[in-house]
Amino acid sequence: MTEPIPTSRLVRGAKLGKLVADQAFRGAGVTLATMRDTEEQRLARTERALADAAEDIVTVLGSMKGLAMKAGQLLSMFDPLAALDAATVPSHQRERFRRRLAALYDQAPQLPFARMRAVIERDHGCPIGELFSDFDEQPIGAASIGQVYRARLRDGRAVAVKVQYPGVDVAIRADLKNLALVMRMMRTVAPALAEHAMFRELTTHFAEETDYRAEAEHHRMVGEMYRGHPFIRIPEVVTELCTGRVLVTELVEGLGFDEICALPAADRDRVGEVLFRFYVGTMAREHRFTGDPHPGNILLAPDGAVVFLDFGLFKHMNDAAVEFELSCVRAAVEYRAADLRELLVDYGVLEPDSAATAEQCLRLLHEVSGWLFTDAEIRVGADAVSKALLALVDPRRGYFEHWRREYAPAEHAFARRVEYGTLALLGKLRASGNWHRIGREWCYGDTPRTELGVLEHDWLTDRTR
């Protein structure tokens, strides 16, 4: 029998602490052992250690659910092992580690149906049979906040029913308290990241994710935003059956992300462009966007449309914040270093007397976001995200010491999550495209250069008539 989700702050903190300590001990043990191993023994021992580590992470974080499990999902997305030297951890070992962690998206430990059924019946105040003519008790997905089931309404419509784990709201509040402690501890290392506004931003959005009524509203908003789109589809919400802990939407069948990754290059490139247009383009054009790009939220429908799911994490950015982002992009693209630094100072990111020079500001943006600034066809590698993030924190690059005390704008936290989450998806797809030319449509108002761009431009033109 699956144990209930731990909700105590102390218990959850202790579980995470033990997980970290166990991995550190295991890593030290492997390092000491491999000093006397042959090369073949070293590789075998490292592979076993990585397999054990991945299994522990999936088991512990998967059973905890909530923000702890979401942290494991991010670990899988950003693939920290990809930043290591290939001679230290060969690519096939890194890939096995990543694939095991990817189970946290849709194959995490499941809660028994009886517990989930009780949530549905408690929220609706009636037996499940009065709501659905058929309900498959085997979940089709198990994520950080809830499990998803296939069902059929009494009028015959096929639907997906997302049910929140009992107690997960309490667990998330416990995780947020532990996160607050961690951020306070970070003040001596990176004061900018520990700034209170950043924590309030994260707290607000993660807390909202436990209210499925808010998610249903965001889902409807995005559905209306993309109604009639030529290659993006948002499932319809069954509003009358949605509650605080139950979300019911149209059921859409299609290829999952791993299946998409196995398609020919041309198909992967097309899906990659759609993902880029949806996640980054929506942020730039609409100033309202979903903040959770990951493999479990994407399907490829039989007609070629890309289906997007899950709008629990949703962000509204004001016009000034979006214009600041676009202005920084334009300055970086045009190599206007002095203008870029002035933008950062005027917005409050840098102090006027900051040691960060204009050239360092320009070089940093090109290192962490160069894929957006380069006017060329780029096939994104699986390690693109880890290398971009490593550029900021690697002491050998010299950025971290200059930037760790500068202001971290809280309202842009989810914009960075979307940017790097999208880059991670493109890397997993090994997708190729001139991302700069596509982005110029939003940043400069350029005429589309791709077939999908023309279709979207025509759709946007018809929408505004």
Side-chain angles (χ1 to χ4, degrees):
M1 178 66 71
T2 306
E3 294 295 321
I5 297 171
T7 56
S8 162
R9 173 185 176 183
L10 293 177
V11 171
R12 292 179 72 80
K15 280 179 171 286
L16 286 176
K18 184 177 184 302
L19 178 63
V20 172
D22 286 348
Q23 303 319 310
F25 179 78
R26 177 179 286 122
V30 169
T31 300
L32 291 173
T34 54
M35 291 176 66
R36 57 180 181 272
D37 284 346
T38 65
E39 181 63 17
E40 184 176 349
Q41 289 172 328
R42 184 187 70 79
L43 290 175
R45 191 184 296 273
T46 301
E47 187 156 4
R48 287 196 301 272
L50 286 176
D52 290 345
E55 193 64 38
D56 284 353
I57 291 170
V58 170
T59 300
V60 174
L61 300 187
S63 65
M64 290 177 70
K65 310 299 184 186
L67 296 190
M69 182 169 161
K70 194 172 287 294
Q73 292 175 340
L74 285 173
L75 190 65
S76 168
M77 282 287 289
F78 295 155
D79 193 10
L81 294 182
L84 299 178
D85 181 66
T88 305
V89 183
S91 59
H92 74 278
Q93 293 183 358
R94 297 199 306 262
E95 178 61 17
R96 288 185 63 179
F97 181 83
R98 185 202 65 77
R99 284 189 176 277
R100 186 65 190 103
L101 288 189
L104 287 169
Y105 285 111
D106 54 12
Q107 302 168 36
Q110 301 169 357
L111 262 66
F113 178 67
R115 295 184 192 168
M116 308 304 284
R117 177 178 185 147
V119 173
I120 300 173
E121 296 184 338
R122 190 178 304 119
D123 268 28
H124 282 281
C126 65
I128 198 170
E130 293 184 14
L131 304 169
F132 306 96
S133 62
D134 184 58
F135 200 104
D136 187 347
E137 297 184 6
Q138 182 63 33
I140 57 176
S144 58
I145 306 296
Q147 287 176 185
V148 183
Y149 298 87
R150 180 184 283 106
R152 189 169 297 278
L153 299 181
R154 302 194 71 79
D155 63 9
R157 285 179 290 168
V159 292
V161 184
K162 183 159 73 169
V163 186
Q164 191 173 117
Y165 299 120
V168 77
D169 53 339
V170 180
I172 285 181
R173 287 197 292 272
D175 286 344
L176 288 171
K177 289 178 181 177
N178 286 330
L179 178 60
L181 178 62
V182 170
M183 295 189 78
R184 285 200 297 272
M185 293 168 59
M186 287 178 61
R187 284 178 185 164
T188 57
V189 178
L193 290 179
E195 192 263 328
H196 287 299
M198 178 75 77
F199 178 68
R200 287 196 300 271
E201 175 84 356
L202 295 173
T203 300
T204 298
H205 288 284
F206 285 129
E208 279 184 354
E209 197 175 7
T210 62
D211 186 349
Y212 283 176
R213 290 166 298 191
E215 180 174 346
E217 181 180 346
H218 298 151
H219 194 137
R220 285 190 296 268
M221 185 185 303
V222 179
E224 190 57 39
M225 192 187 300
Y226 278 96
R227 192 170 301 282
H229 194 280
F231 49 80
I232 290 173
R233 182 175 304 162
I234 311 297
E236 294 288 338
V237 178
V238 184
T239 302
E240 64 273 18
L241 291 181
C242 294
T243 68
R245 298 184 298 170
V246 179
L247 178 68
V248 183
T249 66
E250 167 195 8
L251 179 67
V252 180
E253 305 282 3
L255 298 181
F257 196 78
D258 283 346
E259 296 170 299
I260 297 172
C261 289
L263 294 174
D267 296 321
R268 299 197 313 272
D269 293 346
R270 178 184 178 277
V271 172
E273 182 177 342
V274 176
L275 300 185
F276 183 57
R277 289 182 176 279
F278 178 75
Y279 287 118
V280 179
T282 304
M283 178 170 61
R285 187 180 62 238
E286 304 288 346
H287 305 184
R288 301 170 296 171
F289 55 94
T290 177
D292 202 14
H294 73 62
N297 292 340
I298 298 160
L299 295 172
L300 180 61
D303 63 359
V306 179
V307 183
F308 292 92
L309 313 169
D310 196 330
F311 302 94
L313 284 177
F314 196 81
K315 173 69 178 172
H316 295 253
M317 285 183 74
N318 62 47
D319 293 348
V322 175
E323 183 51 38
F324 167 72
E325 294 249 346
L326 296 178
S327 295
C328 287
V329 168
R330 288 189 286 264
V333 166
E334 298 161 19
Y335 290 89
R336 293 185 283 110
D339 290 345
L340 174 60
R341 189 181 189 282
E342 185 177 350
L343 281 166
L344 295 172
V345 170
D346 289 345
Y347 199 74
V349 176
L350 290 181
E351 292 292 336
D353 60 352
S354 169
T357 67
E359 288 70 25
Q360 286 173 332
C361 294
L362 181 63
R363 193 166 68 246
L364 174 60
L365 257 66
H366 274 269
E367 287 217 40
V368 300
S369 299
W371 68 291
L372 294 173
F373 305 154
T374 305
D375 188 5
E377 191 84 7
I378 295 175
R379 187 168 297 282
V380 181
D383 58 355
V385 169
S386 57
K387 286 184 174 179
L389 296 177
L390 188 64
L392 182 60
V393 300
D394 186 345
R396 294 170 297 181
R397 309 289 182 90
Y399 299 121
F400 184 70
E401 187 56 38
H402 281 308
W403 286 81
R404 71 188 187 92
R405 294 188 180 278
E406 303 297 350
Y407 175 69
E411 66 272 24
H412 296 271
F414 279 86
R416 299 288 68 75
R417 178 186 171 103
V418 168
E419 177 185 346
Y420 293 123
T422 302
L423 182 60
L425 290 172
L426 297 179
K428 292 178 187 299
L429 283 172
R430 308 181 308 285
S432 178
N434 189 323
W435 314 107
H436 170 73
R437 280 291 159 186
I438 297 170
R440 289 183 70 94
E441 296 174 28
W442 321 309
C443 202
Y444 289 93
D446 283 8
T447 301
R449 300 284 190 93
T450 69
E451 180 182 347
L452 293 181
V454 172
L455 288 172
E456 186 164 73
H457 176 270
D458 292 345
W459 170 77
L460 285 168
T461 302
D462 289 340
R463 192 181 74 167
T464 56
R465 284 175 180 167

